[in-house]
């Protein structure tokens, strides 16, 4: 596995920040977009960030392959033979980007085996960067300011804060929120939902609508290093480099001692 030292972490944070600045050149006003084969939107900002990140990572670690949401089928061929690779979402939250909100991120993860061992999530509009690495700690930093260590919080069953997608919460999450009358809800776009839990501002993010591996890997690593977890509905750690790039339904949480599956009422 690629050694994960401070130099590598710092370099990947810089790559994410550079890509974030590239997206901001297209942010604001009407944003033209096209539709990909799966009908999801694609903007010039996605393409610019993709090109910058892929080129930078190939220079940084020439021996490690890169899989991005915007990679071609040819570039992704053979991924199941990779033991270590970069997994990238150059612009997570494209719908929020098109709407003109600030709730989109740049996500870069290093996958070893079936799990993320380094994750960087950068928020271009605010300049905030989150990161975490296996064997290290999780941090949040505003541009030009000292990093702050991230820690999840213990769950208080009577005062839970649940985060949900703005566009993809779905009926099962809505039913859960109705059952938990004392819980409050925060709706956010992109991988910011994981990060809110990692910094101890929220407790639980249940997701039953489709996501892909690049949507979750970087933020999962940040959350896990901060003390939380991300599992499927059977309690198994959310895994990567699966035969299918789509994730199963999952639960992201801050307190690993709480029985989050019991809240689902199944």
């Amino acid at each position: 596995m690629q050694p994960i030292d401070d130099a590598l972490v710092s370099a990947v944070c810089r790559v994410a920040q550079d890509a974030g600045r590239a997206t901001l050149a297209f942010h604001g006003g009407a944003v033209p977009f096209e539709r990909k084969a799966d009908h999801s939107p694609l903007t010039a900002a996605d393409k610019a960030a993709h090109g910058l990140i892929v080129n930078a990572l190939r220079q940084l670690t020439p021996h490690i392959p890169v899989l991005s949401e915007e990679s071609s089928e040819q570039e992704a061929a053979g991924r199941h033979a990779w033991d270590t690779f970069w997994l990238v979402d150059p612009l997570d939250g494209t719908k929020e980007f098109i709407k003109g909100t600030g709730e989109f991120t740049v996500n870069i993860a290093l996958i070893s085996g079936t799990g993320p061992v380094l994750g960087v999530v950068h928020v271009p509009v605010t300049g905030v960067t989150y990161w975490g690495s296996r064997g290290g700690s999780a941090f949040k930093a505003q541009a030009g300011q000292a990093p702050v260590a991230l820690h999840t919080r213990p769950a208080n069953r009577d005062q839970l804060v649940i985060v949900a997608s703005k566009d993809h919460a779905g009926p099962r999450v809505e039913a859960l929120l109705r059952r938990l009358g004392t819980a409050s809800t925060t709706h956010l776009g992109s991988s910011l939902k994981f990060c809110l839990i990692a910094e101890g501002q929220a407790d639980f993010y249940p997701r039953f609508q489709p996501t892909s591996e690049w949507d979750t890997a970087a933020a999962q690593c940040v959350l896990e290093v901060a003390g939380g977890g991300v599992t499927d509905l059977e309690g198994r750690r959310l895994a990567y480099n699966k035969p299918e790039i789509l994730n199963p339904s999952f639960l992201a949480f801050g307190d690993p001692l709480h029985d989050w599956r019991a809240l689902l009422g199944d």
Side-chain angles (χ1 to χ4, degrees):
M1 189 186 84
Q2 168 74 33
I4 302 173
D5 54 21
D6 290 343
L8 179 65
V9 173
S10 296
V12 178
C13 285
R14 287 193 297 272
V15 172
Q17 291 157 1
D18 288 345
R21 283 188 285 273
T23 68
L24 291 178
F26 304 92
H27 188 242
V31 178
F33 64 91
E34 57 191 274
R35 292 285 182 183
K36 295 189 286 188
D38 63 358
H39 305 294
S40 62
L42 176 67
T43 71
D46 295 85
K47 297 177 182 178
H50 163 79
L52 188 154
I53 294 169
V54 170
N55 290 336
L57 292 178
R58 286 175 176 166
Q59 292 182 22
L60 181 65
T61 54
H63 57 293
I64 299 179
V66 182
L67 176 62
S68 164
E69 179 177 8
E70 310 312 332
S71 294
S72 67
E73 291 186 10
Q74 291 79 10
E75 290 171 318
R79 68 180 178 90
H80 298 303
W82 301 343
D83 179 65
T84 301
F85 64 100
W86 294 104
L87 183 57
V88 175
D89 192 340
L91 200 166
D92 181 31
T94 301
K95 290 182 179 178
E96 296 301 320
F97 183 89
I98 293 169
K99 292 176 185 176
T101 78
E103 294 176 9
F104 59 93
T105 60
V106 175
N107 301 343
I108 303 176
L110 181 64
I111 305 297
S112 179
T114 60
V117 294
L118 167 62
V120 175
V121 177
H122 177 64
V123 192
V125 167
T126 64
V128 170
T129 306
Y130 300 87
W131 68 92
S133 61
R134 179 188 291 179
S137 300
F139 295 95
K140 171 185 178 180
Q142 180 76 47
Q145 297 183 12
V148 176
L150 299 179
H151 303 283
T152 60
R153 67 186 187 185
N156 181 336
R157 178 67 170 77
D158 297 322
Q159 295 181 342
L160 293 177
V161 176
I162 298 176
V163 284
S165 171
K166 280 189 171 180
D167 296 311
H168 306 289
R172 197 172 181 186
V173 171
E174 292 168 359
L176 169 65
L177 297 176
R178 286 194 296 269
R179 287 199 308 273
L180 299 176
T182 61
S184 60
T185 310
T186 298
H187 291 276
L188 283 171
S190 73
S191 56
L192 287 169
K193 296 180 283 295
F194 294 87
C195 296
L196 201 66
I197 300 173
E199 58 183 311
Q201 299 300 312
D203 301 291
F204 187 39
Y205 168 33
R207 178 74 181 220
F208 306 109
Q209 301 293 96
T211 60
S212 294
E213 291 187 2
W214 44 66
D215 295 314
T216 57
Q220 176 175 339
C221 190
V222 173
L223 177 53
E224 288 177 339
V225 175
V230 185
T231 70
D232 64 18
L233 300 189
E234 302 301 319
R236 297 171 298 219
R237 185 190 186 205
L238 193 64
Y240 292 83
N241 213 11
K242 305 183 298 297
E244 173 59 57
I245 200 72
L246 290 177
N247 289 321
S249 297
F250 64 80
L251 308 177
F253 48 83
D255 186 348
L257 301 179
H258 192 79
D259 188 355
W260 298 103
R261 287 187 289 165
L263 297 182
L264 303 181
D266 296 336

